[in-house]
Amino acid sequence: MDKRVVVYKVMRTVLAPLFYVLFQPKIIGAGNIPKNGAAVIAGNHKHALDPILVDISTRRTVRTLAKKDLHDSAFGWFFRSSGTIPVDLHAKHNPEALRAAKEALRDGELVNVSPEAKRNYTDELLLPFKYGAAVMAEDTGAPLVPYAIAGKYKPFGGLTIIFGKPFKATGDAEKTNRKLYNSIAALLKRVMPKEELESKKITSFEEWSSRNEKTS
C-alpha cells in the first residue's frame, strides 16, 4: 500500500473519533460518494476543518486541494504526508495543481475541491466559483459530487454536511461550473439554518460572471 495512503488512514483513524465527539456532525447523502473510481467532490468553504469533515464522510482516501502556504508552514509535513495537493492562491493559474489533481483522478482517486478557492467570510451564500473542479471533470470524465456544509463548528452539534447526486460534466466548462454552483447553492438552502439563510445574499452564477467581465 502507498505510504501516503497508510499515513492518511492512520491520521483519519485518530482524528475521526475526536471530530465526531466534539462536533457531532450530521452527515447526509454520503452514499452519493462513489464506492470506487474517480470523482471530483466539490463544495462550499466555510472553515479550516472542512476537509476533515469531508474525509470522515467516506471510508475512501480523499485528495484535497489545499493552499500552498500550509505545505510551506511548520506543519507542512502533515499536509504532504496525507496527500494534499498544494495550490498557490496568489497565482492566477495553478497548472501543477491541476495536473496533479487530474493525475489522481485518472488513477481512480477522489479529489476534494473548494471552487470558492477561499473561506467565505461574507454575507454572500456563495463566492464566485473558480473553474478548477469543472475543468478536472471535463478533462478526465470523472463525475462531480456536490456538497454543502452548514451550521457552526461548535461543540456538541449544529454542524451538517450534505452530499448531492453525482453528475457528469456537460462538455462545456462554463455550463458545468454553472451546474455545480447551482447544485451547491440548492444543497445549502436545504440544510442552512433558516435565520442564517435569511441573512445571506443569494447571487446567481450569471451575476457573478457579469461582475467579473466588468472588472477584468
Side-chain angles (χ1 to χ4, degrees), residues 4-215:
R4 171 182 56 78
V5 175
V6 173
V7 172
Y8 175 92
K9 289 185 179 297
V10 169
M11 288 180 176
R12 185 169 62 188
T13 299
V14 172
L15 292 175
L18 296 175
F19 195 97
Y20 272 114
V21 170
L22 181 59
F23 298 114
Q24 298 178 11
K26 184 177 182 180
I27 300 173
I28 304 169
N32 288 320
I33 302 173
K35 290 183 171 54
N36 50 65
V40 180
I41 308 175
N44 64 311
H45 191 16
K46 63 177 296 165
H47 196 280
L49 296 178
D50 291 346
I52 297 178
L53 181 55
V54 173
D55 289 347
I56 67 171
S57 298
T58 174
R59 299 182 69 179
R60 295 184 62 189
T61 299
V62 181
R63 302 287 302 279
T64 296
L65 271 71
K67 62 182 181 180
K68 184 175 178 291
D69 296 1
L70 295 174
H71 285 249
D72 297 336
S73 70
F75 295 97
W77 61 271
F78 174 87
F79 296 96
R80 289 190 295 272
S81 61
S82 58
T84 58
I85 299 171
V87 179
D88 186 354
L89 298 183
H90 306 294
K92 188 171 183 180
H93 301 290
N94 280 275
E96 286 302 309
L98 185 60
R99 179 198 59 76
K102 291 196 290 188
E103 185 177 297
L105 291 167
R106 292 187 178 111
D107 287 341
E109 297 188 81
L110 298 177
V111 174
N112 178 29
V113 187
S114 298
E116 293 174 294
K118 59 185 178 181
R119 288 162 65 179
N120 184 358
Y121 294 106
T122 75
D123 59 357
E124 294 282 355
L125 183 69
L126 288 169
L127 297 177
F129 275 21
K130 303 294 185 182
Y131 280 77
V135 170
M136 290 173 202
E138 291 286 348
D139 290 353
T140 66
L144 283 148
V145 180
Y147 69 82
I149 298 173
K152 295 181 179 180
Y153 284 82
K154 62 181 182 180
F156 314 122
L159 182 64
T160 299
I161 183 169
I162 181 171
F163 294 89
K165 296 287 186 182
F167 65 90
K168 285 286 191 176
T170 66
D172 180 304
E174 177 84 11
K175 291 180 180 177
T176 296
N177 209 27
R178 181 186 298 112
K179 184 172 183 178
L180 179 62
Y181 182 95
N182 290 336
S183 297
I184 294 171
L187 291 172
L188 270 173
K189 291 174 186 176
R190 280 181 57 187
V191 297
M192 183 174 282
K194 183 179 178 181
E195 62 277 9
E196 184 179 357
L197 182 59
E198 290 175 345
S199 71
K200 293 292 184 180
K201 293 180 183 176
I202 301 177
T203 302
S204 70
F205 182 89
E206 289 75 16
E207 287 178 284
W208 280 128
S209 298
S210 177
R211 289 186 200 178
N212 289 336
E213 286 173 3
K214 290 177 182 178
T215 57

